[in-house]
Amino acid sequence: MNGEESPRTPALASGPHGPGALRPLLDTVLDALAAGARSRGGPLPGGGPEAVTARIAGVLGDVLADQGDPDALRALVHALAEGAADPADPLCAAHLHCPPLAVATAADLAVSALNPSLDSWDQAPAASALEAAVTRALARATGLADALVTTGGTESNQLALLLAREAHGGSVRLVCGANAHHSLPRAAWLLGLPDPVVVPAAGGTLDLAALDEALTTLSGPLLVAATAGTTDAGLIDPLPEIAGLCAAHGARLHIDAAYGGGLLFSDRHREKLAGLDAAHTVTLDLHKLGWQPVAAGLLAVARPGELAVLHQHADYLNADDDTEAGLPDLLDRSLRTTRRPDVLKTAVTLKTFGRTGLGALVDQVCAHAREFAALVEEHPGFELYDRPVISTVLFRPAGAADAAVAAVRRRLLHEGRAVLGRARLDGRLWLKATLLNPHTRPDDLVQLLKLAEEGTRA
C-alpha cells in the first residue's frame, strides 16, 4: 500500500480469539458504568431533558467523523450511565422497569457475542432447541400448551389479537376494560379490526355486569381481554368470573398478565392468578416481575395449531426438502425474521434460582409494597389509594389539587432525587411507586416518602 501501514482489522466478539478480545473491553465497560453512576449520584440525572441532552451532545460530538475515537466505548458508556434512570436505585420506582439480575445480564452478553438468529436452524442450532424447551415449560406454568418469545407485552397483545382474528375467519371484535393496556386498542387499529368495545372498570377492575351486558348485546366473533396486573395500579380483573362469562357467551379470552404473570413463581401469591388457565392466550413479560434485561416477553397459547397462521415460506430459510429432512422450521415462531435468542437469559435465570428462588423475589417486592402502603397510611400528610395487590402503591398529598401532585413528581425528576410515576384513577391524579427492587430496605421506603413530602412543601 505504497509503504503505508495497513489498518488493523477490528477484533470479533466470537471465534477462538473472541473471549480474549472481550475481556479488556468488559473491564472498560464495567469501570465506565461504575464511574458514570458515581457522577450521577442518585436515581437519575438532575437538570431535566435539556441538561441531559447537552451532556450527551458534548460527549458524542460528530457522530460519523472521518477518524474514529479509541476512547468511544469508555466515554459513551460513562455518559449513558451518568444520564440513566437506574432501576436498581431504590428511589427509582416509577415504572414496570425492573433492575435486571446480574446472572441474566451476563447470559445476555453470551447472546450478543454469539449473535445467533432464530429465523433458521442453521443460524441457531442450540438456541432453537433451547427456546422450544423453555417456552413450552413457561406455557405449562400458565396452564397453556406452548408459547412464543416476543419483545414484550405490546407485541404479545398484538399477536393475541392476530391469532383471534385468524381463528374467526378474518375478523373479531375486541371487548376490553377501560383499565386495559393501550397496546390492545392500538393492535385492533393496526390489524384493521372494528373499534373496540370498552367496558367500564370502576375501581380499576373490569365491571362484570357491564361485561355480561356487552357480551349479551354484541353479535359476531368477540375477543375479551382481561388484565392481570394493570399498569396504573397493579390490579387484577376477576379472572374466573370473566372466564365463566366468556364460556357462557362463546367469546374468546385473552389475559394480559404482562405485570402479574410473575406471581406464578410465588406459592404465596399464585392464587391471585386463578382462572389464567381458562384463557386462549396469555401475555407474559419477564422484564417486569421477572428481573430480566429488556426484552423478555412471551405469548402463551392454549392451541398450538393456531400458530400455523404465522407460517411463511422462504426457500433460503425453510425449503421444503430441508424441512422434510428434519431441519426445524422456525418461521412460524414469530412475526419477526431476524430474532436474537432472548430466551437464554431467562433459561439461565430459571436454572440458577428455580421457581422457589424467583418466588422469593416476588414475595419480597410485594412485601415492600405493603410496607410502603403502611407508611403512607400512617402519614397524616398523605392519602393512600388502596392496599397493593402486587407491588404498586398509589398515594397523593392529602387535599392537594391534581396540578400540585403532578408538580411534586416533576420537581423530584428535575432535581434527580427520586423517580415516581403517575396514574389517574377515580378522576384524580395519584403518585405511583412501583416497587420491583428486592434489595430495597425499610429505610429506603422511609426516604422515598420523605422526598415526596419535601417535594410537596417546596
Side-chain angles (χ1 to χ4, degrees), residues 120-422:
S120 64
W121 183 88
D122 59 356
Q123 298 178 82
S128 59
L130 181 69
E131 182 180 89
V134 174
T135 51
R136 282 194 298 268
L138 288 171
R140 287 195 294 268
T142 69
L144 276 64
D146 198 0
L148 302 179
V149 173
T150 70
T151 54
T154 295
E155 184 185 349
S156 293
N157 286 340
Q158 180 184 331
L159 269 171
L161 266 67
L162 173 64
L163 295 179
R165 185 189 73 180
E166 297 306 299
H168 286 292
S171 185
V172 69
R173 191 163 196 184
L174 173 66
V175 180
C176 62
N179 61 342
H181 193 266
H182 67 268
S183 62
L184 284 160
R186 175 188 281 179
W189 163 76
L190 185 65
L191 293 167
L193 300 179
D195 290 341
V197 175
V198 179
V199 175
T205 58
L206 197 151
D207 185 293
L208 290 172
L211 176 62
D212 189 20
E213 181 180 356
L215 295 180
T216 301
T217 304
L218 295 167
S219 60
L222 301 174
L223 170 67
V224 173
T227 306
T230 59
T231 304
D232 278 346
L235 303 178
I236 298 175
D237 285 337
L239 303 180
E241 293 81 0
I242 292 172
L245 288 175
C246 288
H249 290 279
R252 187 180 174 99
L253 175 60
H254 170 64
I255 298 177
D256 180 359
Y259 178 12
L263 298 177
L264 288 167
F265 298 123
S266 166
D267 291 338
R268 183 176 302 171
H269 296 284
R270 188 184 305 116
E271 65 181 20
K272 295 175 181 177
L273 296 179
L276 199 69
D277 57 354
H280 293 80
T281 50
V282 173
T283 288
L284 301 172
D285 196 345
L286 296 180
H287 60 245
K288 292 182 171 63
L289 203 61
W291 298 278
Q292 299 296 289
V294 175
L298 296 109
L299 179 71
V301 298
R303 301 169 180 171
E306 291 184 347
L307 301 178
V309 301
L310 302 178
H311 181 76
Q312 293 290 318
H313 181 268
D315 196 66
Y316 74 105
L317 295 174
N318 60 350
D320 290 340
D321 55 318
D322 279 347
T323 304
E324 292 166 3
L327 296 183
D329 181 352
L330 305 182
L331 286 187
D332 60 356
R333 303 297 298 176
S334 178
L335 290 174
R336 292 170 286 148
T337 304
T338 300
R339 189 164 60 85
R340 75 194 304 267
D342 287 316
V343 78
L344 175 64
K345 61 199 173 197
T346 301
V348 168
T349 300
L350 296 174
K351 287 292 290 182
T352 300
F353 299 102
R355 187 176 59 80
T356 300
L358 284 170
L361 297 180
V362 171
D363 293 346
Q364 287 173 32
V365 297
C366 291
H368 294 157
R370 293 194 299 273
E371 292 167 17
F372 187 67
L375 291 174
V376 172
E377 200 167 29
E378 293 166 3
H379 196 297
F382 286 99
E383 177 184 353
L384 177 69
Y385 176 76
D386 203 351
R387 298 292 180 88
V389 175
I390 308 178
S391 66
T392 298
V393 180
L394 299 185
F395 65 107
R396 69 195 316 274
D402 284 355
V405 175
V408 170
R409 174 179 175 272
R410 286 194 293 268
R411 186 176 297 117
L412 293 173
L413 286 175
H414 185 82
E415 295 170 355
R417 301 172 73 196
V419 190
L420 288 169
R422 55 184 284 164

Side-chain angles (χ1 to χ4, degrees), residues 6 73 141 327 415 431 444:
S6 60
L73 178 63
L327 296 183
E415 295 170 355
L431 296 173
D444 298 320

Side-chain angles (χ1 to χ4, degrees), residues 34 48-49 85 96 111 115 127 162 169 185 221-222 261 274 307 319 380 425 430 450:
L96 290 166
V111 169
N115 209 30
L162 173 64
L222 301 174
L307 301 178
L425 267 83
W430 300 81
K450 181 181 178 181

